[in-house]
Amino acid sequence: MAKKIILSAAVFLGVFAVSAVIFMPYTQIASKIIDDIVNQRRIDIRYDTLDVGLFGAEITKLATGSLVIDKLTVKYNPIGLLFRKLSFNADSPVFSADGKLSGSRLTADVKGSVAGLAKMAGFDGSGSVDAELSYDMSSGEGNALLKGGAVSFAHPMMKIEADGVEAEASVKGNIISVSKAQAKGKTTLDAKGTVTLNNKKIEHSVMDITGKAGLMGMDMNFRLGGTFLAPRFTTN
């Protein structure tokens, strides 16, 4: 009799545990956690819908400032989550990205839209760039390699039209150090500098980029300062 009682109790607990895992209200729990973090840290993050399940999650219209990600899809499994392993895909007018998280290491392949980036700053642009990103969340350090074909960017002070672009950058904390930014074609560019990220409002991140640009056979030194929302371009 005792064995039957113990076996019945074990079966009941097993069924209860499995049912709890399967039918747990993941979306409500995740929404509460996200809302608490956003409110406590006063981070500018908004979204339309959030759907979280046992093997994945989807967020629509995830936004910070003027940057909007139409859909962010995350895939995982319960065992993988224990070791912080997952994959994700993001789509927005500015970029698309496919990436993975393994432990604290985040890697991603990103295709950026120059037109989308230019529009955020109130200008016109065309073309695209590909980037390889690597970031360690534990140390807050990472790096990025960027390459692109024909691109254009129309600023009131200067129009960039390049046959190819390349850039290299590293990040530590909220500082992005651009060690190389080059363009070749009708417009030539050779620049470097820093971007100080504003984690609460990305559009208020501050730029300090200097270098030399060539346009129609004329070379000039320039400085790009201000914020993403209100950039300041000067020459000398």
Side-chain angles (χ1 to χ4, degrees):
M1 180 65 71
K3 289 183 179 180
K4 289 184 178 180
I5 294 175
I6 294 173
L7 180 59
S8 298
V11 171
F12 172 78
L13 291 174
V15 172
F16 177 79
V18 172
S19 299
V21 170
I22 294 175
F23 298 107
M24 183 177 293
Y26 295 101
T27 298
Q28 291 89 334
I29 294 172
S31 297
K32 181 65 166 58
I33 294 173
I34 292 173
D35 291 343
D36 287 346
I37 292 174
V38 168
N39 292 331
Q40 290 173 7
R41 300 187 180 182
R42 297 181 180 179
I43 302 173
D44 179 23
I45 292 180
R46 310 173 303 280
Y47 60 89
D48 279 359
T49 64
L50 171 64
D51 184 14
V52 181
L54 189 59
F55 296 100
E58 182 179 286
I59 305 176
T60 63
K61 300 299 180 184
L62 177 65
T64 177
S66 56
L67 176 62
V68 179
I69 299 175
D70 293 329
K71 184 168 70 172
L72 173 63
T73 303
V74 182
K75 296 181 180 180
Y76 51 76
N77 62 65
I79 302 300
L81 281 180
L82 295 176
F83 300 96
R84 292 202 295 182
K85 289 187 176 183
L86 55 82
S87 62
F88 64 88
N89 171 267
D91 285 302
S92 83
V94 177
F95 70 90
S96 61
D98 289 291
K100 294 181 179 180
L101 175 67
S102 182
S104 64
R105 175 64 61 178
L106 177 70
T107 57
D109 293 322
V110 181
K111 179 176 286 293
S113 166
V114 177
L117 291 169
K119 187 176 181 180
M120 285 183 63
F123 306 120
D124 293 324
S126 65
S128 63
V129 293
D130 296 318
E132 296 179 3
L133 309 179
S134 178
Y135 181 73
D136 190 300
M137 296 191 298
S138 295
S139 64
E141 299 181 4
N143 55 70
L145 298 175
L146 180 148
K147 288 185 178 182
V151 299
S152 69
F153 182 87
H155 187 278
M157 295 292 293
M158 182 179 69
K159 183 177 181 180
I160 297 175
E161 293 180 288
D163 297 328
V165 295
E166 289 187 27
E168 295 180 6
S170 61
V171 60
K172 186 173 184 179
N174 70 323
I175 305 296
I176 297 177
S177 299
V178 181
S179 57
K180 180 176 79 171
Q182 297 179 338
K184 298 178 181 180
K186 289 183 179 180
T187 303
T188 61
L189 178 70
D190 190 1
K192 60 183 178 180
T194 62
V195 176
T196 303
L197 292 174
N198 185 319
N199 295 324
K200 293 183 179 180
K201 289 186 177 292
I202 193 69
E203 69 271 26
H204 292 307
S205 299
V206 178
M207 299 177 288
D208 186 11
I209 307 294
T210 59
K212 180 178 290 186
L215 182 62
M216 294 187 299
M218 298 177 60
D219 291 334
M220 61 181 175
N221 296 319
F222 74 91
R223 179 176 182 272
L224 178 61
T227 66
F228 289 166
L229 189 62
R232 295 194 302 271
F233 185 86
T234 58
T235 62
N236 54 47

